[in-house]
Amino acid sequence: MSPSPALDTPRLYRVSDAMRLLSMSRTVIYEQIRTGRLRSVTQGRTRLIPASAISEYIDLLEQEARAS
C-alpha cells in the first residue's frame, strides 16, 4: 500500500522553504508576516507557514496585479 499523495506534500513550510517557494528574502517574508499579508503559525520556537497561506498570498499578489 502506497502513502497518500496528500501526505507527500508538506502542509507547513519553514521560513527558508517559503523564501524559496516565493522567491523572496527572509526580510520580506517576515515583513509580510508582520503586516498580516502572509499567515504563519508557531510550533515552539519555530515559525511555520501553512501551504494554504502561501496559496492565499499568491492569490493576493495576482489580485493586486490585476487591480493596478
Side-chain angles (χ1 to χ4, degrees), residues 12-36:
L12 293 170
Y13 292 94
R14 292 182 178 271
V15 170
S16 58
D17 297 325
M19 290 168 53
R20 182 179 44 78
L21 289 169
L22 295 170
S23 299
M24 295 179 168
S25 71
R26 179 176 305 275
T27 303
V28 172
I29 294 289
Y30 277 107
E31 177 68 16
Q32 298 307 299
I33 291 170
R34 187 184 68 76
T35 61

Side-chain angles (χ1 to χ4, degrees), residues 2 14 25 27 32-33 37 39 55 57 66:
S2 64
R14 292 182 178 271
S25 71
T27 303
Q32 298 307 299
I33 291 170
R37 291 169 53 90
R39 289 185 299 108
S55 295
Y57 182 73
R66 283 193 296 270

Side-chain angles (χ1 to χ4, degrees), residues 59-68:
D59 291 343
L60 173 66
L61 293 176
E62 289 175 343
Q63 289 172 8
E64 289 175 351
R66 283 193 296 270
S68 61

Side-chain angles (χ1 to χ4, degrees), residues 46-63:
T46 304
R47 183 164 302 274
L48 300 167
I49 302 169
S52 60
I54 292 174
S55 295
E56 291 166 8
Y57 182 73
I58 292 169
D59 291 343
L60 173 66
L61 293 176
E62 289 175 343
Q63 289 172 8

